[in-house]
Amino acid sequence: MGMIKDDTVRNATSYYWGERTSTIDWCEENYAISNYIAEFWNTLTNVAMITLAVLGIYSSIRHRHGKRVIAMYVGLLLVGVGSACFHATLKYTTQLLDELPMLYLCALCFYSLVEIDVDIKFGKRLPIALALFQTGITLIYVFWMQNPAFHQVAFGVTAVGAIVFGTKRFSELNIGSETRRTLSRLHLMGHLGMWGGFLVWNVDNIFCHQLRTYRSYLGMPLDGLLQLHGWWHIMTAYGSVYLLLWAHLLKLARLGHDTMFSIQYFMGIFPHVALNNPKKVD
């Protein structure tokens, strides 16, 4: 998603990854810090999402949270790794590794929220339908409509479906006030992260020229503070993981495990779910 910037001077084949082949580029100056990383700050800031995803996977496996929960964090990990690869190379193939996993992550969340109970309601019909839908979107995007706007619409449709079912599941819960407050807080923080990230993403696109001028005054490493696409990565990493934690806790609360889990913070900044009395729930 975004606007193509005029970085032709730094897209020469003399740099490690050669000329840019991606259909989009960002406000960060290409190869300004390293000949081996096209967009240094935009690559580095994906560490936040990768760390949060790995922690979610580790916690879910350790406390036996279930395969569907683990799959959501794996989807988030693929988004973070794909985004890092894309910004490091600015190649069309790695651009797809950034964009397509976002669709698959939303599909995994949608499936997990629909099939929130232990007993599978729709059998193989729902995963097959979702797989066919995502395959169709992927083929259209790769071979026919290579327009970021198409990806954004497809992502939006899938995300809205997940949000609708998540809201429905939340309204169905008969839970204590403490769990309800926890879920409401996670939901709010998730949306604040996503919409706040979307705001700085737009500021980065619209005011790119001014931001580049200000960054040139600051110089390294302070110019990184004005790399707003990097802040978009950090804010959406936390927004995404809070929404995944929301879906995660919805599942646990649905199964009546309200007193068995809590939100804890690794190193004080990385949130994850920890069960007080580990028990397999999937």
Side-chain angles (χ1 to χ4, degrees):
M1 299 181 289
M3 303 165 59
I4 295 179
K5 307 299 180 186
D6 186 16
D7 280 330
T8 54
V9 174
R10 292 193 174 92
N11 283 328
T13 55
S14 58
Y15 291 91
Y16 185 78
W17 296 105
E19 293 189 34
R20 173 179 57 80
T21 58
S22 62
T23 61
I24 48 180
D25 199 349
W26 303 101
C27 189
E28 181 176 357
E29 298 83 354
N30 296 344
Y31 295 104
I33 295 178
S34 170
N35 287 345
Y36 301 96
I37 302 176
E39 295 177 342
F40 178 83
W41 293 109
N42 288 349
T43 302
L44 181 64
T45 48
N46 280 289
V47 170
M49 182 173 290
I50 293 171
T51 302
L52 290 165
V54 170
L55 184 60
I57 294 169
Y58 170 77
S59 176
S60 299
I61 293 175
R62 179 183 178 186
H63 300 293
R64 298 180 290 174
H65 291 175
K67 296 185 291 294
R68 277 167 277 175
V69 172
I70 295 170
M72 291 193 298
Y73 292 113
V74 170
L76 184 65
L77 176 62
L78 293 177
V79 173
V81 171
S83 180
C85 291
F86 167 48
H87 288 289
T89 64
L90 291 180
K91 294 295 186 179
Y92 180 65
T93 51
T94 54
Q95 178 184 335
L96 296 178
L97 291 179
D98 176 26
E99 295 174 334
L100 294 178
M102 296 168 61
L103 298 173
Y104 307 151
L105 172 59
C106 279
L108 286 169
C109 293
F110 178 81
Y111 175 73
S112 183
L113 289 166
V114 173
E115 297 287 16
I116 199 169
D117 298 316
V118 174
D119 296 328
I120 302 298
K121 182 178 180 180
F122 294 99
K124 296 181 179 180
R125 290 174 295 169
L126 181 58
I128 290 174
L130 286 173
L132 289 174
F133 176 73
Q134 295 299 330
T135 300
I137 293 297
T138 299
L139 293 175
I140 291 172
Y141 188 51
V142 173
F143 296 107
W144 180 38
M145 194 177 295
Q146 298 174 350
N147 188 328
F150 174 76
H151 169 266
Q152 294 166 23
V153 171
F155 174 76
V157 169
T158 312
V160 167
I163 291 171
V164 167
F165 263 92
T167 304
K168 181 176 183 294
R169 297 307 189 199
F170 182 69
S171 66
E172 295 170 347
L173 287 177
N174 182 18
I175 53 177
S177 58
E178 183 177 351
T179 301
R180 188 170 293 276
R181 283 195 300 269
T182 300
L183 287 167
S184 298
R185 185 176 68 252
L186 290 172
H187 192 252
L188 174 62
M189 294 175 71
H191 280 284
L192 286 176
M194 298 303 291
W195 288 106
F198 183 64
L199 174 63
V200 299
W201 179 82
N202 278 285
V203 172
D204 188 62
N205 287 335
I206 297 170
F207 299 103
C208 178
H209 178 73
Q210 294 91 327
L211 287 168
R212 286 184 169 184
T213 301
Y214 299 150
R215 291 200 297 259
S216 68
Y217 293 150
L218 291 175
M220 271 286 290
L222 294 179
D223 63 319
L225 297 174
L226 294 180
Q227 296 289 354
L228 297 191
H229 193 84
W231 285 109
W232 145 266
H233 286 161
I234 294 171
M235 295 177 74
T236 55
Y238 276 90
S240 297
V241 84
Y242 277 123
L243 290 175
L244 289 189
L245 290 171
W246 176 64
H248 186 165
L249 296 188
L250 275 176
K251 179 183 177 69
L252 293 174
R254 176 87 170 195
L255 298 175
H257 297 165
D258 299 46
T259 61
M260 297 172 58
F261 63 85
S262 61
I263 298 293
Q264 298 182 12
Y265 286 80
F266 177 67
M267 297 178 64
I269 57 174
F270 298 113
H272 63 97
V273 169
L275 293 179
N276 299 320
N277 182 24
K279 179 179 178 181
K280 188 176 175 62
V281 297
D282 191 15

